[in-house]
């Protein structure tokens, strides 16, 4: 048994720092310096045990993922991460669990030079809320509302692996450790987001599935979209485990937890985008285009229309279909 202040002490010992942190953990508030001529991008997300990760998830994986989903939101804005706040609700003052959590959390803070500058520690059912802060030069951040008719629609990485892992976990059949890794350790596409400054017209990160998230972009941009299902980037491992195409497409469109970026850009920028993303070690694929009108038209490789299963995840709509 550790007690609240011992837990905070353990967190503080591993918080990291940066020159733009005038005052970190330990006072009533942190004091932080935003670079001149930059906007501060701020985003928060909560992870709840059993809702956002399976109950058997390792503490280090929870620590990684809780930060990764927040950095992913900064990536989608083309912001450079800087600081994080961590609000922990823990069932008990279990310092072993906390040390494991911090192992995964720290791994990612070191990769992206993020300083943990404050938070809150309370007792209750396991829940983690992180607020991530980053910078972008004034006017440069990518929004959901910038897509224009005729733009290409791109996605980074591959889609559906995490949803495949969740389906296997829920289905009780054979499970792939590689798919499960994609569920537990999403990669926030920070370098890709930065590379897309000045090249993309709109961006979003894929947390709830392409159907729902691209849906947000076209509504915000007042346009429509056409997607070729045959072009969806698909990992070999997902194709091996989910050979049935309509089932796989549903995982890729409605499953969620990919944390890839979906972005739009004029076709004239395609070559520059390929070069910029290659330089940041990120694969990306054009999967369709922005159209006049509204809604998303999904076309199979045979040219037939496809209707995805209920799109996106709504916590107040009774969960996944
Ligand atoms: P207060 O009562 O003034 O809110 P707390 O006792 O809650 O202060 O916290 C003391 C310090 O520890 C503050 O700087 C706070 O930001 C930090 N802190 C508390 N919990 C966490 C946490 N889970 N992660 C990071 N910093 C934390
Ligand atoms: Mg407090």
């Amino acid at each position: 048994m550790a007690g609240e202040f011992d837990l905070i002490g353990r967190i503080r010992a591993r918080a990291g720092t940066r020159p733009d942190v005038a005052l970190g953990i330990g006072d009533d508030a942190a004091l932080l310096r935003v670079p001149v001529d930059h906007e501060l991008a701020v985003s928060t997300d909560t992870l709840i045990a059993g809702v956002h990760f399976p109950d058997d998830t390792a503490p280090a994986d929870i620590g990684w993922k809780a930060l990764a989903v927040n950095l992913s939101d900064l990536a989608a804005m083309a912001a450079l991460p800087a600081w994080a706040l961590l609000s922990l609700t823990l069932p008990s003052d279990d310092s072993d669990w906390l040390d494991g959590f911090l192992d995964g959390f720290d791994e990612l803070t070191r990769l992206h030079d993020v300083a943990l500058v404050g938070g809150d520690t309370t007792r209750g059912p396991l829940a983690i809320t992180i607020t991530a802060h980053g910078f972008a030069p004034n006017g440069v951040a990518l929004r959901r509302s910038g897509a224009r008719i005729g733009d290409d629609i791109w996605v980074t990485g591959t889609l559906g692996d995490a949803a495949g892992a969740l389906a296997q976990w829920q289905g009780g059949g054979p499970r792939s450790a590689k798919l499960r890794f994609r569920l537990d350790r999403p990669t926030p596409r920070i370098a890709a987001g930065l590379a897309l400054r000045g090249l993309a017209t709109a961006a979003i990160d894929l947390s709830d599935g392409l159907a729902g998230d691209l849906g947000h972009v076209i509504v915000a941009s007042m346009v429509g979209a056409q997607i070729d299902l045959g072009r969806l980037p698909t990992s070999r491992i997902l194709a091996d485990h989910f050979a049935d195409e309509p089932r796989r497409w549903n995982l890729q469109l409605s499953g969620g937890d990919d944390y890839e970026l979906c972005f739009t850009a004029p076709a004239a920028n395609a070559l520059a985008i390929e070069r910029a993303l290659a330089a940041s070690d990120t694969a990306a694929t054009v999967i369709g285009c922005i159209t006049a009108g509204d809604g998303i038209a999904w076309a199979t490789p045979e040219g037939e229309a496809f209707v995805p299963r209920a799109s996106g995840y709504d916590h107040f709509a009774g969960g996944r279909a």
Side-chain angles (χ1 to χ4, degrees), residues 4 119-121:
E4 178 187 338
D120 199 22
T121 307

Side-chain angles (χ1 to χ4, degrees), residues 4-5 8 11 24-30 85-88 116-121:
E4 178 187 338
F5 293 102
I8 296 176
I11 294 168
I25 293 176
D27 212 311
D28 293 310
L85 296 171
L86 170 63
S87 288
L88 275 177
L116 178 60
V117 297
D120 199 22
T121 307

Side-chain angles (χ1 to χ4, degrees), residues 190-226:
I190 298 294
L194 298 177
L196 292 171
R197 287 177 175 175
L199 292 174
T201 48
I204 191 168
D205 71 314
L206 298 178
S207 52
D208 298 335
L210 181 68
D213 291 326
L214 177 59
H216 296 316
V217 171
I218 62 168
V219 168
S221 300
M222 297 186 288
V223 293
Q226 152 86 47

